[in-house]
């Protein structure tokens, strides 16, 4: 499986929007999703940003903005029930501690 850029891309987006725009509602999320297409049925770790009830995912060069309920349904996220949400203060601590974009606390059922 080719590894994507979700942790870095969405971490950068979160850092820029939450810090620069002082958006305190925004959260960076690391969670276990169930894949579609060529990854159908495969659980793996993924990162995205939540701004209220909207999910923003800029990984892989895309610029997805979708209702949270739809994103969670498509990714089987509620079923997996394996999420870690970070506000700006948490994000700063994790980046300083680990010196990488993540995942930091997420352990998936498949190890992916």
């Amino acid at each position: 499986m080719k590894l994507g850029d979700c942790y870095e891309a969405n971490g950068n987006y979160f850092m820029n929007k939450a810090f620069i725009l002082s958006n305190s509602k925004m959260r960076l999320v690391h969670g276990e999703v169930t894949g579609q297409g060529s990854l159908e049925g495969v659980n793996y770790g993924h990162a995205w940003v939540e701004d209220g009830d909207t999910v923003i995912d800029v990984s892989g060069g895309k610029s997805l903005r979708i209702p949270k309920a739809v994103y969670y349904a498509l990714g089987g996220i509620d079923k997996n029930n394996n999420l870690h949400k970070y506000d700006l203060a948490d994000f700063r601590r994790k980046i300083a501690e680990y010196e990488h974009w993540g995942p930091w606390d997420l352990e998936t059922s498949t190890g992916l």
Side-chain angles (χ1 to χ4, degrees):
M1 173 191 288
K2 179 179 180 271
L3 298 177
D5 69 346
C6 66
Y7 295 101
E8 182 174 358
N10 288 304
N12 260 313
Y13 180 91
F14 174 77
M15 181 176 62
N16 289 329
K17 299 300 182 182
F19 179 71
I20 294 171
L21 298 179
S22 299
N23 185 341
S24 62
K25 296 183 311 178
M26 201 171 266
R27 298 291 180 264
L28 176 66
V29 183
H30 292 172
E32 184 170 357
V33 301
T34 302
Q36 298 179 345
S38 64
L39 294 174
E40 186 170 351
V42 176
N43 284 18
Y44 59 93
H46 189 56
W48 61 92
V49 175
E50 293 180 4
D51 189 0
D53 289 330
T54 300
V55 166
I56 302 152
D57 188 343
V58 298
S59 61
K62 63 184 175 276
S63 183
L64 181 68
R65 293 183 73 86
I66 188 170
K68 181 177 168 180
V70 173
Y71 193 84
Y72 274 46
L74 290 171
I77 295 166
D78 284 333
K79 172 183 63 98
N80 293 326
N81 193 29
N82 187 3
L83 294 172
H84 297 273
K85 296 186 179 191
Y86 305 98
D87 63 16
L88 187 56
D90 296 330
F91 172 80
R92 286 176 163 168
R93 279 191 294 275
K94 294 295 183 178
I95 285 285
E97 179 181 351
Y98 289 95
E99 298 180 349
H100 63 74
W101 295 103
W104 305 305
D105 304 306
L106 181 66
E107 292 183 22
T108 64
S109 60
T110 60
L112 300 175

